[in-house]
Structure formats: structure tokens, C-alpha cells
Amino acid sequence: MLGTTPFVQRHILYAHKFYQFWQDSDQPQNWGFAKNQVTSFHLPTEDGESIHAWHVLPLPVYRQHEATLQAQPTGHCADVTASESFRILQHDPSAKLIVYFHGNAGHLPSVVRAPSFRMYTATSNYHVLAIDYRGFGTSSGSPTEDGLILDGCAALKFALETAGLSPDRIILIGHSLGSAVAAGVAERYARVHGVDFAGVIMVASFSNLSDMLSGYAIAGLVPILKPLRSYPRVLRLILGCLVDHWESAQRLRNIVNIVHRSNVEEHQNVKKQTHKSQKDAQRHLRLSLIHAADDNDIPCIEDDKIFATVLGPLVRDAAGNEATTAELLALKEQRTKHLGKGAFVSEWRDGNVAIRQERFPHGGHNDIVLFPPVLLEIMRIFEEAAQCQ
């Protein structure tokens, strides 16, 4: 029953001690980046932790400033605001930023992370800001659900307040565990700060931790709790001891409720104030769910659960009752384009709320972040944000 203790649970869930100590993440050139294309630095959190971050410059922008960047010192940057890369980001009115939240285990450049950063920045003007959560890599502290959300908020505070970027130039991308962090950060900014970002992309995501663990297998081979499905009472006992819950579907549903209610109220206010533009008053949510059909770690059905949960506030009958699961499935099918065995795209739009789900046939659990759906969706979101300005 060791798995019921918080210490063991968190080591299993976050696997933050699986860190390649022999790899110096303050030297991004070791992972194929140009000299000083990446600035390695630390960010403070509101509860006093220090988290490791990378700011990756897009290569076309890097090329314009190559001589100046290469003349700067390499390694860890003690004051990121004094760096040339920060100056470039802060003073470029066309700069767009991807804030990336990675999955469990390893550190910033591990597995597919460095290759994905290279791909996103290779031919675009997209900057990347990625962080190691508390307890990961060279970040201080130990991981908890609330702590990881605070880490994500520290990254967004840096982007919004320190770098001065507007929210419509920022996309949040979360992969696996990082998708839950992205949902938590987006929900907090929508609820507490009234801030809506250009988009939130959830890659290989899960609806909540209990459901995910019931079907999760490490590397697709080693099941965690799946064998206990034959013993439901034991499974319920263990799941009842979880200290972190990661209710991503509910958090995203909360954002839909916030945006929908706010727009209804603003619509009523606009009618009373003819000088106020309806377009200016609108809040928005662009949510994208991307999952590979051959993901053996987190079943792709988890995205279906998120899609159905998030739609709840938008699909009601005349009496205000939410649609049943069967009704939602029928409505979703009307908006679905099938693209071959196991692959489809479903898109639901309701005012300024857009929810898009893509099931891609290949990519497994990790490689999917390198496959076309993710980069194409980044492009779509930024293009749509530009059209709305």
C-alpha cells in the first residue's frame, strides 16, 4: 500500500527524479540549437521556488541578429532581462510565443522536447518558452498539483508582465502531464485575471487523474492500476487516496462557463451602451485536443471525455437541461470529418468558443508532438487571432 502515501504517489506520477544529471541543460547547443539561440535562466514563483526555463528564438529572427547573439556569453543567464534574446522578444511587435508544458520524467530537453522546440522555431517567427516544473531538472522544490500550476503561472507572468506580450500572441501547449498543467494555468488566468490566450493545445491529454491511471501504462508496457479493474473495490480504495487529482476536463469546462456567461452579460451591457463595441466586449476560448490513435500510454478515448465535458454548458434544451451523452455524440458526429481508419477531426463553434478535436492515426504518446497536427494547429490559431485584431 505504499502507493497510497503522498511521497510515493508523487514520485510515481511525476517521475521527476528521472533526470539525466550528466546532461547540462544550461548548454542547449548539445541538443542541436545554434549558439545562444536558447537562453537558459531561472524564474521565481509566487511561493518562493526557482524554476528553470528556456527561451528559444525562432531561427529567421536569430539569423537577423546572429552576430550580436553569438558574441554573448553562453551558459546560464543570471539576468534574462539583460539578454539580447529578451530584448528581441520584448521589442518585436510581431513576435508570437508558444509556452510549452512538458510531460513527466526527465528535464527540459529530454525525449522529444528539444526536437519539438527546434521544429516549432525552424522556419517561423514563433518563440518558445519552456519550463522545468519544481523538482524537475535544476528547478527547486518538489512537485505537487498546486505547485505545478504556480510554475506555469510564473511562466505566463514573465511573458505578459516582464516581456509585455499581449495574450492574443500567446499559445499554451501541454503534452501528457503538461496538458493538465496547461488546463490549470488557463483556467486560473481566465477566472482570476480575466485573461484569454490565443489558444490552448492539449496533446495526449487526459480528463482527470483517476480515469487516466485506471488505463495508464508506463511506456505503453507497464500498467499502473489497470490490472485492478477486476477488483473495483480495491481500485476505488486506491483512487480515493490520491492527493493530486488533475481535473482537466472540469477546468476546461469552467473556462467555457466563464467565457459564455461573460459574453452573455456583455451582450446585454452593449445593448444599453451603444458606444461600446460588441467585438471589443467579447471573451474567447480556442481549445484544441490532439491525440494519436496508437497512443499506448494514455488511451485516446480520454480526449472524447474532455470534448463531451467541455461541451456541456453550450448544449442545453429550452428548459436549460444539458444534452445527454447520446445527444452529444450525435451532434458531434454532424460536425466530424472522418479521415481514414481511426482518424477524424471534429470542430464545434459557439460564438467565441471554438473546440477542435483531432485524432491522428500515428505518433504514439511522444512523437505526436513532432507530427503535423500540432504545428498546423499552432499556425491556425495564430492566423485566427490575427484576423480577430
Side-chain angles (χ1 to χ4, degrees), residues 9-10 13-14 144-146 180 206-213 239-249 251:
Q9 276 185 37
R10 285 171 170 148
L13 171 62
Y14 300 113
T144 65
E145 180 172 358
D146 290 341
F206 55 93
S207 56
N208 61 70
L209 187 58
S210 294
D211 284 359
M212 189 272 281
L213 288 179
L239 293 177
C241 295
L242 290 176
V243 291
D244 293 336
H245 298 91
W246 291 110
E247 296 281 355
S248 297
R251 283 176 167 141

Side-chain angles (χ1 to χ4, degrees), residues 53-185:
W54 273 11
H55 168 212
V56 188
L57 284 169
L59 270 182
V61 174
Y62 175 89
R63 178 67 186 95
Q64 296 172 18
H65 305 271
E66 186 173 9
T68 304
L69 287 163
Q70 290 196 352
Q72 292 205 317
T74 59
H76 188 267
C77 181
D79 181 5
V80 67
T81 61
S83 68
E84 180 68 10
S85 60
F86 177 80
R87 186 196 66 79
I88 293 170
L89 173 65
Q90 186 180 42
H91 295 292
D92 181 0
S94 65
K96 296 175 177 62
L97 180 67
I98 298 166
V99 180
Y100 188 97
F101 301 114
H102 66 65
N104 68 347
H107 61 153
L108 269 172
S110 295
V111 199
V112 293
R113 294 160 199 169
S116 65
F117 304 157
R118 291 199 306 268
M119 182 185 71
Y120 301 154
T121 58
T123 59
S124 69
N125 68 334
Y126 306 153
H127 296 244
V128 170
L129 176 64
I131 62 169
D132 258 341
Y133 317 115
R134 60 190 63 201
F136 286 73
T138 60
S139 297
S140 67
S142 299
T144 65
E145 180 172 358
D146 290 341
L148 266 63
I149 292 174
L150 287 179
D151 298 340
C153 288
L156 268 301
K157 182 177 181 179
F158 171 80
L160 294 166
E161 299 181 17
T162 307
L165 273 67
S166 59
D168 60 358
R169 290 197 282 151
I170 299 174
I171 288 177
L172 277 57
I173 296 182
H175 172 236
S176 190
L177 170 67
S179 69
V181 179
V185 172

Side-chain angles (χ1 to χ4, degrees), residues 29-40:
Q29 282 180 267
N30 295 339
W31 284 270
F33 295 97
K35 182 180 180 182
N36 289 332
Q37 181 189 357
V38 179
T39 303
S40 177

